[in-house]
Amino acid sequence: MSTMNPKTKCGLVLEGGAMRALFSAGVIDVFLENGITFDGLAGVSAGAAFGCNLKSGQAGRVLRYNEKYCRNWRYCSWRSLFLTGDMFGADFCYRKLPDELDPFDNAVFDANPMEFWLVCTDVAAGKPVYHRCDRAGGDTMEWMRASASMPLVSSVVRIDGGRYLDGAVTDSVPLEFMERHGYGRNVVVLTQPEGYVKTPHPLQWLMKVVYRKYPALAEASARRHEMYNAQTEYVRKRADEGAALVICPEHPLPVQRITHDPGLVRETYGIGRRTAEKQLEQVRAFLHAE
C-alpha cells in the first residue's frame, strides 16, 4: 500500500558526496524497512549509485558491499586511478560487483514503477543531463558510473556519443528538476549539516589544465559553490513553505569523500539510520499531507 497522497506526486532527492552518501544509504534502508515509498527519485553521483537500491528493494546492500570491499584496491584506491584512470574502479564497481559479487536485483528494479532519474554533467556543454532509468539492463550502469565520476579522479564516460562526468558539478541538489516534472512534495536528503556553505574548489587551477579541451566544464566547476549554496537556500525556502522536507546530519559526518575503514562506513551509515528513524513519523505525515 502506498504511503503517499495520490493527489500529489511525491519525490525523493538524494545529494551525492561520495562516501558521505552512506548517510543517505542509512536513510533509504529505514524507508525500505518501514514501507515508505515515492513516485520518483532523483539521485546525483553517489546519491544515484546508492539510491538505486531503493528501487531494487535491497535494504542493507550498500552497507554490505562497502564494508566488505572498501579496502579492496579495485573498488577505490590511488592504485586503481593510476592503472585504470578511475579511482573508483569502473569494471569492479559497475560490472563485477553488481553482476557477481553482490548482485543487483534487476528484476525488482524493472518492476518497480517508481521513476528513477540520475544527473550527469555534459562535459562539452558544461550543463546537467537528466537520464531516466526504467530498466537495469543496457547502459544503465554506465549512466550510474557517469553520474558518480568525480572530476580529476575519473575518466570521462562516453555514452551514445555524449561525454559525461559527475552530475554534482552542474546540479548537486535537483529539487527544482523534480518540481518541474510535477513532484509537488519532495523529501530532500543532504549529506552536509544545515547551514553548510560550500567554498570554491581549491584545485580549480588544475581543473582548467586537465579539462582545457572542455572549458565549459571548468567554468561550471568554478561556479559550483555558488550553484550549490543557492540550491540549499532554495531547499530551505521550499521546506519553510511546506513543499519539501529535509533530512540531513546534525553535525559534519565523520567520513570524507573516501574511506578504507569499515568501521567508519558503518558509523556513517548508522548516523543516517538514526536520523531517519527520528524523522520517520514526520516523513509519514509529510507524504500524507493534503
Side-chain angles (χ1 to χ4, degrees):
M1 176 185 255
S2 171
T3 61
M4 298 174 294
N5 181 343
K7 296 180 181 179
T8 304
K9 285 175 67 177
C10 294
L12 178 64
V13 177
L14 299 177
E15 180 187 9
M19 288 297 205
R20 287 200 310 271
L22 287 162
F23 172 87
S24 306
V27 172
I28 65 174
D29 279 1
V30 169
F31 289 165
L32 279 167
E33 293 162 7
N34 288 274
I36 303 295
T37 59
F38 299 87
D39 294 304
L41 182 162
V44 184
S45 195
F50 292 172
C52 62
N53 292 276
L54 180 65
K55 185 170 169 65
S56 68
Q58 292 177 278
R61 181 173 178 268
V62 174
L63 174 65
R64 185 171 60 242
Y65 73 70
N66 274 283
E67 276 193 308
K68 187 171 183 179
Y69 298 111
C70 67
R71 288 178 171 166
N72 190 310
W73 75 267
R74 297 173 299 167
Y75 182 56
C76 176
S77 67
W78 289 106
R79 180 181 175 186
S80 175
L81 176 61
F82 294 145
L83 293 178
T84 71
D86 293 286
M87 179 164 280
F88 285 87
D91 183 67
F92 186 84
C93 293
Y94 299 100
R95 187 196 63 77
K96 193 169 185 65
L97 183 58
D99 291 350
E100 302 172 20
L101 300 177
D102 199 324
F104 186 71
D105 197 328
N106 294 348
V108 172
F109 183 95
D110 293 354
N112 189 332
M114 180 184 74
E115 291 185 0
F116 182 86
W117 294 88
L118 55 76
V119 188
C120 300
T121 293
D122 182 317
V123 299
K127 301 290 184 182
V129 171
Y130 306 92
H131 181 76
R132 178 172 164 176
C133 302
D134 293 319
R135 302 185 64 81
D139 57 11
T140 289
M141 283 298 165
E142 278 297 280
W143 281 105
M144 294 273 193
R145 175 190 165 203
S147 181
S149 288
M150 296 182 292
L152 301 180
V153 294
S154 307
S155 302
V156 171
V157 180
R158 303 183 182 219
I159 307 172
D160 296 333
R163 301 180 182 188
Y164 307 100
L165 280 174
D166 189 351
V169 175
T170 49
D171 192 347
S172 296
V173 188
L175 173 58
E176 291 180 84
F177 167 81
M178 291 294 277
E179 291 181 337
R180 290 196 302 270
H181 282 73
Y183 290 87
R185 191 172 293 124
N186 293 279
V187 173
V188 181
V189 181
L190 303 177
T191 58
Q192 296 283 10
E194 184 177 358
Y196 170 78
V197 176
K198 186 175 286 296
T199 56
H201 197 300
L203 295 178
Q204 187 56 39
W205 64 271
L206 186 57
M207 286 286 296
K208 291 182 178 180
V209 172
V210 173
Y211 298 110
R212 57 190 177 278
K213 293 182 179 179
Y214 305 114
L217 175 68
E219 290 172 12
S221 177
R223 297 190 305 270
R224 186 189 170 193
H225 64 291
E226 298 172 354
M227 174 269 296
Y228 180 89
N229 295 332
Q231 286 188 322
T232 53
E233 181 60 33
Y234 181 75
V235 169
R236 286 191 289 270
K237 174 179 177 290
R238 295 300 282 154
D240 289 342
E241 294 169 348
L245 186 152
V246 180
I247 298 176
C248 65
E250 293 182 1
H251 308 286
L253 292 169
V255 74
Q256 298 300 315
R257 286 184 172 272
I258 295 169
T259 184
H260 302 293
D261 182 349
L264 207 52
V265 166
R266 179 169 286 278
E267 181 183 357
T268 305
Y269 169 86
I271 293 170
R273 284 195 64 94
R274 292 190 294 274
T275 304
E277 287 164 353
K278 286 180 183 178
Q279 293 186 242
L280 191 57
E281 293 310 313
Q282 184 184 9
V283 171
R284 285 196 174 108
F286 175 74
L287 295 176
H288 280 297
E290 295 294 337

